[in-house]
Amino acid sequence: MKLLTDAERAALSTELADWTLIDDGGALRRRFRFGDFAQAWGFMSCVALLAERLGHHPDWSNSWNKVEIVLRTHDAGGLTGADVALAKGIDAILGTGLSVAA
């Protein structure tokens, strides 16, 4: 898998406005806060199904109503189109009515 170019990474600030570049641009991170544990877990279940379908899996953590997701393609050593596709899919899941706070 091909790493994103500097220009492609720079464009992510508008394309994926709620995601933050971390690790010197080698990964994307987004933090979520839900109304309760059940909403957070439901969101994670939806993301898990999407990740399986895309064959690309996030690094993530959960603590009660909070979820943190970090995306990077380990085999490629940084960000690839697979990470962007998964981030866009995760954003689409949020558009289905799950309640989330920044």
Side-chain angles (χ1 to χ4, degrees):
M1 218 168 265
K2 184 179 153 196
L3 291 174
L4 297 182
T5 65
D6 290 340
E8 290 169 326
R9 280 195 312 273
L12 294 177
S13 64
T14 54
E15 200 174 337
L16 296 169
D18 294 320
W19 293 81
T20 303
L21 282 170
I22 61 168
D23 298 339
D24 294 326
L28 281 169
R29 177 180 65 206
R30 185 162 178 197
R31 294 177 173 146
F32 307 86
R33 182 178 305 238
F34 296 89
D36 57 26
F37 178 75
Q39 286 181 348
W41 193 263
F43 167 72
M44 290 178 71
S45 295
C46 291
V47 172
L49 293 172
L50 172 64
E52 277 297 300
R53 195 166 53 250
L54 295 178
H56 192 65
H57 304 91
D59 293 329
W60 58 5
S61 64
N62 165 246
S63 178
W64 191 62
N65 68 336
K66 295 182 278 290
V67 176
E68 178 177 283
I69 297 177
V70 175
L71 302 175
R72 71 171 56 85
T73 303
H74 295 281
D75 292 347
L79 282 175
T80 67
D83 302 300
V84 174
L86 184 52
K88 287 180 178 181
I90 291 167
D91 286 350
I93 288 169
L94 292 172
T96 63
L98 283 172
S99 175
V100 64

XYZ file of all heavy atoms in Angstrom:
771
model
N 0.821 -1.165 0.000
C 0.000 0.000 0.000
C 0.882 1.252 0.000
O 1.888 1.307 0.683
C -0.867 -0.021 1.249
C -2.187 0.489 0.880
S -3.655 0.441 1.760
C -4.388 -1.009 1.108
N 0.479 2.250 -0.746
C 1.265 3.467 -0.920
C 0.920 4.497 0.158
O -0.265 4.753 0.431
C 0.976 4.031 -2.306
C 1.775 5.231 -2.668
C 1.418 5.690 -4.070
C 1.686 7.178 -4.159
N 1.055 7.802 -5.280
N 1.952 5.095 0.768
C 1.746 6.145 1.754
C 1.176 7.393 1.084
O 1.462 7.671 -0.083
C 3.066 6.514 2.437
C 3.667 5.470 3.363
C 5.041 5.922 3.835
C 2.758 5.213 4.550
N 0.372 8.150 1.835
C -0.127 9.419 1.327
C 1.037 10.386 1.142
O 1.999 10.382 1.918
C -1.133 10.034 2.302
C -2.423 9.262 2.570
C -3.313 10.054 3.525
C -3.179 8.938 1.299
N 0.919 11.229 0.144
C 1.934 12.267 -0.080
C 1.713 13.403 0.924
O 0.671 13.469 1.596
C 1.823 12.842 -1.501
O 0.568 13.516 -1.621
C 1.943 11.745 -2.563
N 2.679 14.308 0.990
C 2.534 15.478 1.864
C 1.295 16.277 1.485
O 0.547 16.731 2.354
C 3.768 16.376 1.786
C 4.993 15.748 2.431
O 4.837 14.812 3.251
O 6.107 16.202 2.116
N 1.057 16.453 0.199
C -0.112 17.210 -0.271
C -1.413 16.506 0.110
O -2.384 17.156 0.520
C -0.036 17.418 -1.782
N -1.446 15.187 -0.020
C -2.648 14.423 0.349
C -2.902 14.522 1.854
O -4.050 14.676 2.284
C -2.507 12.969 -0.074
C -2.558 12.772 -1.580
C -2.155 11.385 -2.023
O -1.276 10.768 -1.380
O -2.726 10.901 -3.032
N -1.845 14.457 2.654
C -2.017 14.596 4.109
C -2.501 15.992 4.466
O -3.354 16.157 5.319
C -0.712 14.266 4.837
C -0.476 12.787 4.992
C 0.605 12.460 6.009
N 1.823 13.220 5.848
C 2.843 12.884 5.057
N 2.766 11.772 4.347
N 3.922 13.629 4.984
N -1.985 17.009 3.788
C -2.406 18.390 4.048
C -3.889 18.588 3.718
O -4.586 19.323 4.422
C -1.547 19.359 3.248
N -4.368 17.918 2.692
C -5.775 18.049 2.289
C -6.723 17.414 3.293
O -7.922 17.720 3.309
C -5.978 17.426 0.911
N -6.221 16.553 4.157
C -7.086 15.869 5.123
C -7.729 16.831 6.115
O -8.799 16.543 6.645
C -6.300 14.792 5.879
C -5.820 13.617 5.036
C -4.988 12.675 5.891
C -6.991 12.885 4.404
N -7.112 17.986 6.352
C -7.690 18.935 7.314
C -9.050 19.442 6.856
O -9.886 19.786 7.692
C -6.738 20.097 7.572
O -6.550 20.852 6.390
N -9.320 19.478 5.575
C -10.650 19.853 5.095
C -11.504 18.633 4.793
O -12.699 18.633 5.027
C -10.555 20.737 3.838
O -9.759 20.083 2.857
C -9.945 22.081 4.163
N -10.867 17.590 4.296
C -11.581 16.365 3.925
C -12.096 15.614 5.156
O -13.183 15.040 5.128
C -10.615 15.478 3.141
C -11.242 14.428 2.302
C -10.199 13.693 1.456
O -9.115 14.237 1.198
O -10.501 12.559 1.057
N -11.308 15.619 6.223
C -11.654 14.922 7.467
C -11.446 15.900 8.627
O -10.566 15.726 9.468
C -10.783 13.676 7.644
C -10.962 12.577 6.599
C -9.857 11.538 6.723
C -12.336 11.931 6.729
N -12.261 16.936 8.657
C -12.053 18.072 9.566
C -12.049 17.686 11.046
O -11.398 18.355 11.854
C -13.113 19.138 9.306
N -12.733 16.614 11.421
C -12.808 16.228 12.834
C -11.684 15.293 13.255
O -11.617 14.886 14.414
C -14.166 15.580 13.135
C -15.310 16.568 12.979
O -15.142 17.732 13.377
O -16.360 16.170 12.439
N -10.812 14.951 12.343
C -9.681 14.069 12.622
C -8.425 14.908 12.751
O -8.278 15.942 12.100
C -9.519 13.043 11.505
C -10.644 12.066 11.440
C -11.874 12.253 10.861
C -10.671 10.749 11.997
N -12.644 11.126 11.017
C -11.941 10.195 11.716
C -9.745 9.986 12.696
C -12.302 8.911 12.115
C -10.095 8.710 13.089
C -11.359 8.187 12.801
N -7.483 14.454 13.571
C -6.238 15.161 13.809
C -5.070 14.303 13.341
O -5.014 13.114 13.653
C -6.071 15.445 15.325
O -7.207 16.184 15.778
C -4.806 16.214 15.605
N -4.156 14.921 12.608
C -2.922 14.227 12.249
C -2.031 14.158 13.483
O -1.852 15.160 14.181
C -2.182 14.965 11.133
C -2.726 14.780 9.721
C -2.051 15.751 8.765
C -2.528 13.353 9.250
N -1.492 12.990 13.768
C -0.577 12.808 14.897
C 0.662 12.059 14.415
O 0.702 11.618 13.258
C -1.256 12.068 16.076
C -1.707 10.668 15.664
C -2.421 12.880 16.619
C -2.128 9.785 16.834
N 1.629 11.898 15.286
C 2.853 11.155 14.958
C 3.503 11.689 13.688
O 3.823 10.941 12.764
C 2.574 9.652 14.825
C 2.067 9.027 16.115
O 2.303 9.620 17.188
O 1.433 7.960 16.053
N 3.669 13.018 13.645
C 4.296 13.675 12.485
C 3.592 13.336 11.175
O 4.237 13.126 10.140
C 5.782 13.326 12.394
C 6.590 13.894 13.547
O 6.251 15.003 14.023
O 7.540 13.228 13.980
N 2.270 13.260 11.220
C 1.498 12.976 10.022
C 1.413 11.511 9.656
O 0.889 11.165 8.606
N 1.867 10.649 10.557
C 1.855 9.216 10.269
C 0.595 8.500 10.693
O 0.446 7.306 10.451
N -0.338 9.235 11.333
C -1.576 8.608 11.798
C -2.656 9.666 11.936
O -2.379 10.869 12.035
C -1.349 7.912 13.139
N -3.888 9.217 11.945
C -5.060 10.059 12.192
C -5.693 9.650 13.509
O -5.768 8.455 13.812
C -6.114 9.856 11.094
C -5.912 10.551 9.775
C -6.913 10.004 8.747
C -6.087 12.046 9.913
N -6.171 10.640 14.277
C -6.842 10.331 15.544
C -8.129 11.137 15.644
O -8.201 12.279 15.225
C -5.946 10.681 16.730
C -6.668 10.433 18.063
C -5.819 10.773 19.254
N -5.544 12.198 19.254
C -4.470 12.748 19.818
N -3.554 12.005 20.410
N -4.293 14.046 19.788
N -9.119 10.494 16.225
C -10.364 11.183 16.561
C -10.860 10.639 17.887
O -10.798 9.435 18.149
C -11.427 10.982 15.479
C -12.674 11.791 15.780
C -13.562 11.989 14.597
N -14.746 12.738 15.028
C -15.861 12.826 14.368
N -15.975 12.234 13.195
N -16.874 13.507 14.839
N -11.340 11.536 18.720
C -11.906 11.177 20.021
C -13.402 11.459 20.003
O -13.840 12.483 19.482
C -11.225 11.980 21.125
C -9.767 11.609 21.280
C -9.081 12.458 22.314
N -7.743 11.961 22.540
C -6.718 12.740 22.817
N -6.877 14.039 22.940
N -5.525 12.208 23.002
N -14.144 10.536 20.591
C -15.600 10.608 20.612
C -16.083 10.524 22.052
O -15.498 9.832 22.868
C -16.216 9.430 19.837
C -15.681 9.291 18.433
C -14.524 8.580 18.176
C -16.358 9.860 17.368
C -14.030 8.429 16.889
C -15.879 9.720 16.076
C -14.711 9.007 15.842
N -17.188 11.195 22.338
C -17.834 11.086 23.644
C -19.326 10.883 23.389
O -19.952 11.669 22.682
C -17.610 12.340 24.472
C -18.216 12.254 25.862
C -17.927 13.508 26.641
N -16.485 13.718 26.653
C -15.752 13.812 27.742
N -16.329 13.745 28.906
N -14.454 14.002 27.671
N -19.862 9.837 23.974
C -21.261 9.478 23.784
C -22.035 9.701 25.073
O -21.451 9.978 26.124
C -21.372 8.018 23.323
C -20.743 7.792 21.979
C -19.396 7.456 21.868
C -21.479 7.934 20.820
C -18.792 7.267 20.637
C -20.888 7.746 19.569
C -19.541 7.410 19.488
N -23.336 9.540 25.011
C -24.188 9.747 26.175
C -23.965 8.733 27.282
O -24.145 9.045 28.461
N -23.576 7.520 26.907
C -23.350 6.482 27.908
C -22.534 5.347 27.277
O -22.168 5.396 26.105
C -24.675 5.964 28.489
C -25.629 5.413 27.436
O -25.167 4.959 26.358
O -26.840 5.428 27.684
N -22.263 4.340 28.088
C -21.458 3.209 27.637
C -22.135 2.463 26.492
O -21.472 2.048 25.532
C -21.191 2.268 28.815
C -20.408 1.042 28.438
C -19.040 1.118 28.198
C -21.028 -0.188 28.319
C -18.300 -0.008 27.851
C -20.305 -1.324 27.970
C -18.942 -1.228 27.736
N -23.434 2.270 26.573
C -24.134 1.510 25.534
C -24.008 2.185 24.173
O -23.813 1.508 23.151
C -25.603 1.326 25.913
N -24.112 3.509 24.130
C -23.949 4.217 22.855
C -22.523 4.074 22.336
O -22.310 3.857 21.139
C -24.298 5.692 23.011
C -25.771 5.967 23.139
C -26.057 7.452 23.267
O -25.167 8.266 23.475
N -27.324 7.803 23.157
N -21.538 4.195 23.232
C -20.144 4.052 22.818
C -19.904 2.649 22.267
O -19.267 2.476 21.220
C -19.209 4.346 23.993
N -20.413 1.648 22.977
C -20.218 0.263 22.540
C -20.947 -0.004 21.226
O -20.418 -0.697 20.350
C -20.700 -0.696 23.635
C -20.248 -2.090 23.362
C -20.952 -3.084 22.760
C -18.963 -2.628 23.648
N -20.197 -4.226 22.666
C -18.961 -3.968 23.211
C -17.818 -2.115 24.254
C -17.852 -4.794 23.348
C -16.721 -2.948 24.386
C -16.751 -4.268 23.935
N -22.132 0.543 21.064
C -22.870 0.386 19.810
C -22.100 0.975 18.635
O -22.023 0.375 17.555
N -21.523 2.155 18.855
C -20.697 2.794 17.831
C -19.507 1.906 17.483
O -19.206 1.670 16.312
C -20.238 4.160 18.347
C -19.148 4.793 17.524
C -19.405 5.309 16.262
C -17.866 4.894 18.035
C -18.398 5.897 15.510
C -16.852 5.485 17.295
C -17.120 5.991 16.034
N -18.846 1.379 18.505
C -17.694 0.517 18.263
C -18.103 -0.739 17.491
O -17.353 -1.211 16.621
C -17.010 0.155 19.583
C -16.301 1.331 20.229
S -15.549 0.940 21.823
C -14.194 -0.108 21.299
N -19.262 -1.264 17.768
C -19.742 -2.444 17.035
C -19.930 -2.119 15.560
O -19.546 -2.914 14.689
C -21.057 -2.949 17.633
O -20.848 -3.412 18.935
N -20.501 -0.950 15.278
C -20.688 -0.532 13.883
C -19.344 -0.351 13.187
O -19.165 -0.773 12.041
C -21.494 0.768 13.826
S -23.214 0.606 14.324
N -18.398 0.266 13.878
C -17.061 0.462 13.301
C -16.374 -0.882 13.071
O -15.716 -1.082 12.048
C -16.199 1.389 14.194
C -14.753 1.430 13.706
C -16.793 2.795 14.235
N -16.550 -1.813 13.990
C -15.941 -3.135 13.835
C -16.457 -3.825 12.576
O -15.680 -4.442 11.830
C -16.210 -3.988 15.071
N -17.745 -3.743 12.323
C -18.314 -4.356 11.120
C -17.776 -3.696 9.854
O -17.451 -4.378 8.874
C -19.838 -4.292 11.169
C -20.492 -5.138 12.260
C -21.984 -4.839 12.351
C -20.252 -6.614 12.025
N -17.675 -2.373 9.881
C -17.111 -1.646 8.746
C -15.652 -2.046 8.528
O -15.234 -2.314 7.399
C -17.216 -0.137 8.985
C -16.490 0.761 7.977
C -17.098 0.619 6.592
C -16.518 2.208 8.453
N -14.882 -2.090 9.596
C -13.468 -2.439 9.496
C -13.289 -3.843 8.904
O -12.403 -4.066 8.069
C -12.804 -2.343 10.869
N -14.114 -4.773 9.328
C -14.046 -6.130 8.771
C -14.352 -6.115 7.279
O -13.678 -6.769 6.491
C -15.033 -7.050 9.488
C -14.503 -7.607 10.775
C -13.282 -8.503 10.566
O -13.378 -9.525 9.860
O -12.232 -8.158 11.118
N -15.370 -5.346 6.905
C -15.760 -5.270 5.496
C -14.623 -4.675 4.655
O -14.366 -5.121 3.532
C -17.043 -4.447 5.353
C -17.724 -4.596 4.028
C -19.155 -4.067 3.994
N -19.308 -2.698 4.440
C -19.917 -2.335 5.586
N -20.439 -3.236 6.382
N -20.028 -1.074 5.916
N -13.930 -3.648 5.207
C -12.835 -3.011 4.482
C -11.509 -3.759 4.620
O -10.556 -3.463 3.900
C -12.651 -1.568 4.981
C -13.802 -0.598 4.724
C -13.492 0.765 5.326
C -14.095 -0.481 3.236
N -11.439 -4.702 5.555
C -10.199 -5.428 5.793
C -9.102 -4.532 6.341
O -7.925 -4.743 6.072
N -9.503 -3.533 7.104
C -8.549 -2.570 7.675
C -9.036 -2.203 9.065
O -10.159 -1.738 9.222
C -8.465 -1.333 6.778
C -7.328 -0.434 7.121
N -6.018 -0.826 6.987
C -7.310 0.826 7.579
C -5.242 0.175 7.361
N -5.989 1.187 7.725
N -8.209 -2.390 10.070
C -8.685 -2.314 11.451
C -8.020 -1.196 12.231
O -6.814 -0.989 12.108
C -8.467 -3.668 12.134
C -9.142 -4.766 11.375
N -8.488 -5.481 10.393
C -10.405 -5.221 11.411
C -9.341 -6.347 9.868
N -10.509 -6.216 10.467
N -8.788 -0.480 13.057
C -8.246 0.652 13.810
C -7.534 0.208 15.086
O -7.764 -0.876 15.609
C -9.504 1.455 14.164
C -10.564 0.412 14.321
C -10.234 -0.632 13.272
N -6.700 1.104 15.577
C -6.226 1.024 16.959
C -7.219 1.871 17.731
O -7.488 3.013 17.344
C -4.820 1.616 17.088
C -3.776 0.803 16.358
O -3.939 -0.428 16.265
O -2.792 1.404 15.883
N -7.772 1.327 18.801
C -8.762 2.117 19.521
C -8.805 1.758 20.988
O -8.282 0.733 21.410
C -10.130 2.016 18.890
C -10.738 0.638 18.764
C -10.258 -0.552 19.237
C -11.960 0.322 18.119
N -11.106 -1.571 18.913
C -12.166 -1.075 18.223
C -12.909 1.078 17.450
C -13.276 -1.706 17.697
C -14.009 0.441 16.923
C -14.187 -0.937 17.046
N -9.445 2.642 21.746
C -9.655 2.392 23.162
C -11.023 2.922 23.550
O -11.582 3.795 22.886
C -8.559 3.054 24.011
O -8.620 4.459 23.872
N -11.540 2.358 24.642
C -12.857 2.743 25.146
C -12.793 2.831 26.660
O -12.228 1.965 27.319
C -13.895 1.706 24.714
C -15.193 1.812 25.474
O -15.537 0.916 26.222
N -15.914 2.897 25.297
N -13.354 3.893 27.196
C -13.530 4.050 28.633
C -14.902 4.658 28.849
O -15.149 5.805 28.466
C -12.439 4.959 29.212
O -12.649 5.147 30.589
N -15.803 3.868 29.354
C -17.203 4.192 29.581
C -17.828 4.831 28.351
O -18.175 4.124 27.418
C -17.411 5.045 30.843
C -18.865 5.143 31.200
C -19.671 4.118 31.534
C -19.675 6.310 31.204
N -20.956 4.564 31.752
C -20.986 5.927 31.561
C -19.443 7.648 30.939
C -22.041 6.822 31.658
C -20.489 8.543 31.049
C -21.781 8.120 31.409
N -17.986 6.153 28.301
C -18.665 6.786 27.174
C -17.689 7.390 26.162
O -18.093 8.081 25.245
C -19.632 7.864 27.664
C -18.924 9.064 28.265
O -17.789 8.979 28.727
N -19.602 10.189 28.294
N -16.395 7.125 26.319
C -15.384 7.708 25.437
C -14.740 6.628 24.564
O -14.470 5.528 25.027
C -14.309 8.415 26.266
C -14.833 9.615 27.028
C -13.737 10.315 27.803
C -13.397 9.703 29.104
N -14.251 9.724 30.211
N -14.501 7.009 23.317
C -13.824 6.135 22.363
C -12.749 6.973 21.680
O -13.009 8.105 21.275
C -14.793 5.572 21.305
C -14.052 4.750 20.253
C -15.894 4.751 21.951
N -11.558 6.419 21.562
C -10.490 7.062 20.793
C -10.069 6.097 19.703
O -9.841 4.910 19.970
C -9.294 7.396 21.674
C -8.160 8.023 20.868
C -6.978 8.426 21.716
O -7.072 9.463 22.387
O -5.977 7.678 21.701
N -9.987 6.619 18.479
C -9.597 5.808 17.333
C -8.350 6.419 16.703
O -8.310 7.623 16.450
C -10.730 5.716 16.289
C -11.957 5.022 16.895
C -10.247 4.993 15.033
C -13.144 4.962 15.963
N -7.361 5.587 16.455
C -6.149 5.984 15.739
C -6.046 5.098 14.505
O -6.147 3.866 14.602
C -4.894 5.851 16.624
C -3.638 6.156 15.818
C -4.992 6.770 17.843
N -5.840 5.739 13.371
C -5.738 5.023 12.099
C -4.345 5.202 11.504
O -3.850 6.325 11.405
C -6.775 5.544 11.104
C -8.240 5.464 11.546
C -9.131 6.132 10.510
C -8.646 4.036 11.781
N -3.736 4.102 11.148
C -2.471 4.076 10.410
C -2.366 2.686 9.784
O -2.925 1.728 10.300
C -1.272 4.378 11.299
C -0.929 3.289 12.276
C 0.385 3.496 13.012
N 0.525 4.719 13.732
C 0.093 4.946 14.994
N -0.535 4.001 15.647
N 0.295 6.087 15.572
N -1.667 2.614 8.695
C -1.440 1.318 8.055
C -0.071 0.830 8.511
O 0.962 1.305 8.041
C -1.511 1.440 6.521
O -2.792 1.984 6.169
C -1.348 0.078 5.851
N -0.075 -0.073 9.470
C 1.169 -0.539 10.067
C 2.122 -1.126 9.031
O 3.332 -0.862 9.066
C 0.879 -1.555 11.181
C 0.152 -0.955 12.335
N 0.787 -0.197 13.296
C -1.159 -0.975 12.685
C -0.097 0.211 14.193
N -1.287 -0.250 13.843
N 1.608 -1.925 8.114
C 2.460 -2.566 7.114
C 3.172 -1.555 6.217
O 4.262 -1.823 5.733
C 1.647 -3.518 6.229
C 1.143 -4.735 6.982
O 1.620 -4.984 8.111
O 0.271 -5.429 6.445
N 2.514 -0.394 5.995
C 3.104 0.633 5.125
C 3.923 1.645 5.930
O 4.646 2.448 5.353
C 2.005 1.349 4.346
N 3.763 1.656 7.229
C 4.517 2.589 8.059
C 3.940 3.981 8.131
O 4.662 4.938 8.392
N 2.633 4.132 7.922
C 2.011 5.455 8.003
C 0.623 5.465 7.411
O -0.044 4.430 7.339
N 0.202 6.635 6.970
C -1.156 6.812 6.435
C -1.246 6.408 4.974
O -0.381 6.761 4.167
C -1.577 8.279 6.549
C -2.023 8.766 7.905
C -2.285 10.267 7.878
C -3.248 8.025 8.371
N -2.333 5.700 4.665
C -2.614 5.299 3.288
C -4.076 5.598 2.974
O -4.844 6.021 3.852
C -2.366 3.792 3.069
O -3.344 3.055 3.825
C -0.956 3.384 3.478
N -4.453 5.337 1.747
C -5.846 5.506 1.345
C -6.795 4.645 2.151
O -7.962 4.996 2.337
N -6.331 3.506 2.655
C -7.177 2.638 3.477
C -7.583 3.342 4.764
O -8.712 3.197 5.231
C -6.451 1.329 3.788
N -6.674 4.125 5.327
C -6.993 4.872 6.548
C -8.024 5.959 6.265
O -8.951 6.168 7.044
C -5.721 5.496 7.133
C -4.684 4.445 7.447
O -4.974 3.552 8.263
O -3.594 4.509 6.868
N -7.861 6.632 5.142
C -8.808 7.683 4.751
C -10.184 7.081 4.519
O -11.198 7.613 4.982
C -8.302 8.446 3.511
C -9.341 9.434 3.015
C -6.981 9.159 3.825
N -10.241 5.959 3.825
C -11.526 5.302 3.564
C -12.206 4.894 4.862
O -13.421 5.085 5.019
C -11.321 4.083 2.668
N -11.447 4.350 5.806
C -12.034 3.957 7.086
C -12.500 5.180 7.864
O -13.593 5.166 8.435
C -11.044 3.125 7.901
C -11.561 2.557 9.222
C -12.870 1.780 9.053
C -10.494 1.676 9.864
N -11.721 6.249 7.883
C -12.136 7.477 8.578
C -13.434 8.021 7.981
O -14.348 8.423 8.722
C -11.032 8.529 8.508
N -13.532 8.046 6.668
C -14.766 8.521 6.019
C -15.945 7.614 6.366
O -17.063 8.085 6.598
C -14.579 8.593 4.508
C -13.708 9.750 4.080
C -13.562 9.772 2.566
C -12.726 10.953 2.115
N -12.603 11.000 0.652
N -15.714 6.314 6.416
C -16.776 5.384 6.795
C -17.221 5.591 8.233
O -18.413 5.519 8.537
N -16.273 5.846 9.118
C -16.606 6.112 10.525
C -17.427 7.388 10.625
O -18.429 7.440 11.348
C -15.317 6.182 11.371
C -14.688 4.794 11.471
C -15.603 6.763 12.753
C -13.268 4.789 12.014
N -17.028 8.421 9.888
C -17.804 9.662 9.882
C -19.225 9.412 9.370
O -20.190 9.982 9.880
C -17.113 10.724 9.033
C -15.877 11.313 9.703
O -15.639 11.053 10.904
O -15.139 12.051 9.010
N -19.367 8.545 8.382
C -20.701 8.219 7.850
C -21.546 7.497 8.898
O -22.756 7.724 8.978
C -20.570 7.377 6.584
N -20.929 6.633 9.700
C -21.660 5.962 10.765
C -22.262 6.995 11.714
O -23.398 6.876 12.138
C -20.743 4.978 11.527
C -20.437 3.775 10.659
C -21.373 4.556 12.866
C -19.343 2.869 11.204
N -21.501 8.012 12.025
C -22.006 9.068 12.918
C -23.184 9.803 12.296
O -24.031 10.291 13.009
C -20.889 10.048 13.260
C -19.797 9.465 14.135
C -18.648 10.430 14.251
C -20.338 9.096 15.499
N -23.233 9.852 10.963
C -24.339 10.496 10.280
C -25.633 9.697 10.318
O -26.665 10.150 9.834
N -25.608 8.516 10.936
C -26.797 7.670 10.986
C -27.649 7.928 12.215
O -28.612 7.215 12.464
C -26.421 6.182 10.949
O -25.656 5.862 12.111
C -25.668 5.824 9.694
N -27.264 8.945 13.011
C -28.097 9.293 14.150
C -27.536 8.994 15.514
O -28.178 9.282 16.519
N -26.348 8.435 15.588
C -25.738 8.228 16.908
C -25.446 9.590 17.525
O -24.975 10.492 16.846
C -24.429 7.438 16.792
C -24.541 5.954 16.581
C -23.161 5.359 16.302
C -25.148 5.278 17.779
N -25.711 9.724 18.781
C -25.457 10.982 19.482
C -24.005 10.997 19.966
O -23.572 10.095 20.680
C -26.410 11.093 20.670
O -26.093 12.230 21.418
N -23.258 12.019 19.555
C -21.858 12.112 19.955
C -21.525 13.561 20.292
O -22.028 14.479 19.650
C -20.922 11.577 18.840
C -21.007 12.401 17.587
C -19.500 11.518 19.318
N -20.733 13.769 21.296
C -20.240 15.087 21.650
C -18.764 15.146 21.310
O -18.086 14.132 21.301
C -20.459 15.365 23.135
N -18.272 16.334 21.062
C -16.845 16.498 20.715
C -15.960 16.183 21.898
O -16.303 16.282 23.006
C -16.585 17.912 20.221
